[in-house]
């Protein structure tokens, strides 16, 4: 499984970013308005023993190579299932694709660390693997590319949102 690491500076403290990361309205605004996802639903959120569990169902705006378009059809959505362990603190997540969900594994972690300037560093590590004969490499690469694009776009959008909030008050 190919592993990837992304680091983004977010223009708020880690505590504020965790707050936003689990705010339902913020997520729907970010994904649907900011990132142009046709759908973002938080379908489950519960806390038990210091671990916050969240499940979201989303349909992203993605580019799929022609050989995969017929394979995926109109099933380009996914579920994000994750657990945030407040004591660590680390968010562990996995994506289950609507198409080929049992043959594609995408999972990772996200950590936030405060920086001296009042911002935080968001470090995301993930892997993508596909067990589809003949197309596994292309599926894994396309999945990883879309995850990377999504995290990069979200960092840019979050920082823009934070800037708008600071000038609005």
């Amino acid at each position: 499984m190919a592993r990837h690491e992304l680091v983004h500076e977010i223009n708020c403290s880690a505590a504020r970013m965790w707050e936003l990361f689990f705010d339902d309205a913020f997520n729907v605004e970010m994904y649907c308005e900011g990132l142009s996802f046709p759908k973002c639903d938080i379908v489950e959120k519960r806390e038990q023993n210091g671990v916050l569990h969240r499940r979201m169902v989303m349909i992203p705006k993605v580019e799929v190579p022609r050989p995969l378009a017929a394979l995926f059809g109109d099933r380009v959505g996914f579920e994000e299932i994750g657990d945030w362990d407040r004591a660590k603190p680390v968010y562990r997540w996995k994506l289950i694709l609507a198409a080929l969900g049992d043959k594609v594994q995408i999972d990772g972690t996200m950590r936030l660390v405060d920086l001296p300037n009042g911002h935080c560093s968001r470090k995301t590590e993930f892997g993508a693997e596909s067990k589809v004969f003949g197309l596994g490499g292309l599926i894994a690469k396309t999945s990883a590319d879309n995850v990377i694009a999504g995290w990069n776009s979200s960092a840019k959008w979050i920082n823009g949102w934070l800037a708008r909030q600071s000038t609005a008050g």
Side-chain angles (χ1 to χ4, degrees):
M1 175 185 297
R3 301 298 301 175
H4 305 273
E5 181 180 302
L6 304 167
V7 179
H8 298 103
E9 184 170 337
I10 305 296
N11 301 338
C12 67
S13 69
R16 177 70 173 133
M17 187 61 237
W18 284 122
E19 207 176 89
L20 292 170
F21 190 76
F22 291 107
D23 181 280
D24 294 354
F26 176 82
N27 278 284
V28 170
E29 180 181 348
M30 177 177 65
Y31 286 110
C32 294
E33 294 175 30
L35 303 180
S36 302
F37 280 32
K39 176 181 178 180
C40 173
D41 291 328
I42 291 87
V43 295
E44 181 182 9
K45 194 159 95 174
R46 61 183 156 72
E47 186 161 357
Q48 185 174 4
N49 300 323
V51 175
L52 180 63
H53 174 79
R54 178 178 70 184
R55 186 167 63 95
M56 299 192 304
V57 176
M58 295 186 267
I59 296 177
K61 180 180 156 185
V62 296
E63 297 296 322
V64 179
R66 186 175 299 276
L68 300 182
L71 184 62
F72 287 133
D74 61 353
R75 298 174 298 156
V76 295
F78 63 90
E79 281 187 57
E80 177 187 301
I81 301 170
D83 294 305
W84 178 42
D85 185 339
R86 291 178 189 269
K88 301 280 186 219
V90 62
Y91 179 65
R92 298 184 188 288
W93 54 270
K94 66 180 176 178
L95 302 182
I96 300 172
L97 303 182
L100 307 171
D102 59 335
K103 297 188 184 297
V104 178
Q105 180 181 343
I106 306 166
D107 58 25
T109 61
M110 182 187 84
R111 291 176 172 79
L112 300 172
V113 176
D114 280 315
L115 298 173
N117 62 359
H119 297 176
C120 69
S121 174
R122 181 180 76 180
K123 183 177 180 182
T124 308
E125 298 175 300
F126 76 96
E129 180 179 39
S130 173
K131 296 177 181 171
V132 176
F133 181 75
L135 293 173
L138 181 59
I139 292 170
K141 181 183 180 330
T142 300
S143 297
D145 289 349
N146 280 299
V147 170
I148 291 167
W151 284 93
N152 288 342
S153 295
S154 75
K156 182 177 178 180
W157 188 86
I158 291 165
N159 284 332
W161 185 90
L162 289 165
R164 288 188 300 279
Q165 300 308 303
S166 68
T167 59

